[in-house]
Amino acid sequence: DLCLTSDEHLVAIHNLTINACSDVEEVTGSSDDYFVSEHTLEELLQFNFGAKFLNKNGNRPYQNLVSVDQEDRATVIRDNKLNVVTIDEIFERYAKTDLMFIVEIKDSGEKGKKAADILNSLISDGFKDDNLLKRVVIGTFHNDVEKYLKNTYPNIMRGGSVGEVTKFVMTQMFGVNIFDSSSFACLQIPVSEAAFGITIKLNRKTYVKRAHRRNISVQYWTINEKEEMRNLIELGADVIMTDNPDVLSELLIEM
């Protein structure tokens, strides 16, 4: 998940604000929302992004790593790998591996489009020799950003937008998939979704099979229970997004 800073760096963070995961409130003395888009990368590097991490014992091992008024805060935080990181750094670290990347643009509007421009530059030019064009999929929940990606950078693999995914599922449900003209590479979906006053189950073998016939990867989020992971793997899911990779790893060994 990527958000754009005020000086146009893409940093990896789930929320548009940093309050939920960092010590920003202790450092600033304010509980106001601290938006990524309103601050520079240098400003963000002053915060401990491991401060609110809870381990399985219910402890916060990194909470008091660095004091609020410590002069070398940024250095200590970086030395302990608890700083926010940019997508440039992530690609730099893992470009030479065989890892694949699912990237989500969190910003909407012009910021979202700028994020798309930056990602295209990195994937198509910056790390061209590492063939990231075939290893990175970009998604967004914002239809305007998805449309911009589709029209401006057709060579980039995309996850389906909400509108595209809804259309795909509905055409499959009613057996009119002849009218489906999906151009996305990945179907990124939860196991169920509420629509029109009903709950639609999306963990069906028919959806997986029909997506595979169109060379579309089926990717479920966010799956944290082992048995649900097992069921999806047996259905033929290509990707499982989880907060508990250790549980998934354990399951794969079992299977």
Side-chain angles (χ1 to χ4, degrees), residues 14-220:
H14 178 71
N15 297 333
L16 296 176
T17 63
I18 70 170
N19 298 62
C21 58
S22 75
D23 60 354
V24 61
E25 293 176 6
E26 290 78 10
V27 174
T28 63
S30 170
S31 60
D32 292 345
D33 286 337
Y34 196 97
F35 286 92
V36 172
S37 62
E38 296 175 357
H39 297 88
T40 65
L41 175 60
E42 185 176 357
E43 289 172 325
L44 294 174
L45 290 172
Q46 298 299 316
F47 302 108
N48 174 4
F49 279 78
K52 295 182 179 178
F53 171 73
L54 276 175
N55 64 19
K56 289 187 175 182
N57 297 321
N59 299 318
R60 291 181 172 171
Y62 310 116
Q63 185 176 28
N64 300 313
L65 178 80
V66 55
S67 63
V68 169
D69 56 355
Q70 195 165 328
E71 288 187 11
D72 59 345
R73 271 183 65 84
T75 301
V76 173
I77 289 168
R78 183 174 283 278
D79 286 347
N80 285 274
K81 299 185 173 70
L82 296 171
N83 56 289
V84 71
V85 295
T86 67
I87 190 61
D88 310 56
E89 292 174 297
I90 293 171
F91 285 159
E92 183 74 36
R93 176 69 64 87
Y94 299 109
K96 301 295 183 185
T97 71
D98 59 356
L99 288 176
M100 294 177 283
F101 303 85
I102 298 170
V103 174
E104 182 185 336
I105 296 173
K106 303 294 286 191
D107 293 292
S108 60
E110 293 307 310
K111 281 188 172 292
K113 293 174 184 177
K114 181 62 182 179
D117 294 338
I118 294 170
L119 284 169
N120 174 70
S121 179
L122 285 171
I123 295 167
S124 300
D125 299 318
F127 292 89
K128 185 176 182 180
D129 292 342
D130 299 303
N131 211 15
L132 286 189
L133 201 58
K134 294 183 178 180
R135 293 165 50 205
V136 177
V137 170
I138 301 177
T140 176
F141 280 98
H142 305 294
N143 287 330
D144 59 332
V145 178
E146 190 279 332
K147 185 177 180 181
Y148 179 78
L149 268 170
K150 180 178 179 180
N151 294 335
T152 312
Y153 305 115
N155 58 324
I156 287 181
M157 290 191 290
R158 295 179 296 106
S161 67
V162 174
E164 282 187 312
V165 169
T166 301
K167 181 182 175 184
F168 179 88
V169 171
M170 298 305 286
T171 57
Q172 311 309 311
M173 280 181 64
F174 296 111
V176 291
N177 50 296
I178 190 173
F179 298 111
D180 179 65
S181 57
S182 301
S183 61
F184 51 85
C186 301
L187 187 66
Q188 297 167 332
I189 51 178
V191 294
S192 64
E193 184 71 26
F196 312 112
I198 60 173
T199 298
I200 301 171
K201 290 187 176 181
L202 301 176
N203 55 342
R204 296 182 182 276
K205 201 168 190 71
T206 180
Y207 296 150
V208 176
K209 289 174 67 176
R210 287 176 176 171
H212 284 170
R213 288 193 196 115
R214 289 163 176 75
N215 200 30
I216 295 172
S217 173
V218 183
Q219 310 183 349
Y220 287 97

Side-chain angles (χ1 to χ4, degrees), residues 236-250:
D238 301 290
V239 171
I240 289 176
M241 304 185 201
T242 180
D243 297 323
N244 301 326
D246 55 332
V247 175
L248 179 54
S249 177
E250 183 180 281

